[in-house]
Amino acid sequence: MKHKLVIVYGCALALLLFVMRWLEIRLLIMSHAQDIYFGIIAVIFTALGIWIALKVATPKKEVVVVEKTVYVKHTNDFVRNKEALASLNLSPRETEVLELLATGLSNAEIAGKLFLSLNTVKTHTSKLYEKLEVKRRTQAVEKARQMGIIA
């Protein structure tokens, strides 16, 4: 019986301490409610910003590269389109440079084959791009093939 009173007082004291702590936390929340709301809104907008950034940054279309072997028949009966040559006003040297571009040679290799300086080859290629209205050597070769200037 003696210890029963101590246990009852201990439980009452623990309950009173729990109520006081709960009231203290509640008072703390009430006094800093604005800060807590701002924090919650900041977390929500941060998560929303990360979600939007991930949606915008990911590519919408997946690029699939398919490689195919293309067989081209080389015929020896190629006839150069004289009208296209005349309309473009290509010089014989520019035509030679264009043919060597089509074989995949670099400017330095073309200069070595034609016994020209590298700057002369660069000048010829820039004139070719200008006359063919292209920006790259692959475009120049493709356009020249379509026009029948090179095989």
Side-chain angles (χ1 to χ4, degrees):
M1 272 299 191
K2 213 168 157 188
H3 297 291
K4 187 177 183 182
L5 190 59
V6 171
I7 291 174
V8 170
Y9 281 136
C11 287
L13 192 59
L15 183 64
L16 186 62
L17 252 164
F18 175 76
V19 169
M20 286 179 63
R21 274 289 189 195
W22 182 74
L23 288 175
E24 180 184 0
I25 290 172
R26 193 148 184 247
L27 178 66
L28 184 67
I29 289 174
M30 290 299 204
S31 63
H32 298 294
Q34 188 177 9
D35 296 334
I36 291 171
Y37 291 139
F38 287 157
I40 291 170
I41 290 171
V43 167
I44 289 171
F45 275 101
T46 302
L48 184 65
I50 291 171
W51 179 75
I52 289 173
L54 289 174
K55 286 292 184 181
V56 169
T58 56
K60 301 217 183 304
K61 295 181 182 177
E62 184 178 329
V63 177
V64 178
V65 177
V66 178
E67 293 184 14
K68 290 184 178 181
T69 305
V70 178
Y71 299 102
V72 179
K73 291 183 181 179
H74 290 289
T75 58
N76 293 336
D77 58 346
F78 172 73
V79 178
R80 194 175 304 259
N81 187 350
K82 300 290 183 187
E83 293 91 23
L85 275 175
S87 69
L88 292 175
N89 197 20
L90 289 180
S91 69
R93 187 59 95 172
E94 288 172 344
T95 308
E96 285 180 277
V97 170
L98 184 59
E99 287 173 348
L100 292 175
L101 282 176
T103 62
L105 296 178
S106 68
N107 287 344
E109 291 169 333
I110 294 171
K113 271 199 178 231
L114 298 178
F115 303 106
L116 299 173
S117 72
L118 184 59
N119 287 333
T120 305
V121 173
K122 288 181 181 178
T123 303
H124 285 311
T125 54
S126 66
K127 290 290 185 184
L128 278 169
Y129 297 164
E130 185 180 314
K131 289 178 181 180
L132 290 170
E133 298 174 355
V134 294
K135 294 182 181 177
R136 292 182 196 86
R137 65 176 50 213
T138 54
Q139 292 172 340
V141 169
E142 183 63 32
K143 190 165 184 179
R145 283 193 176 133
Q146 287 173 356
M147 295 176 78
I149 298 172
I150 59 173

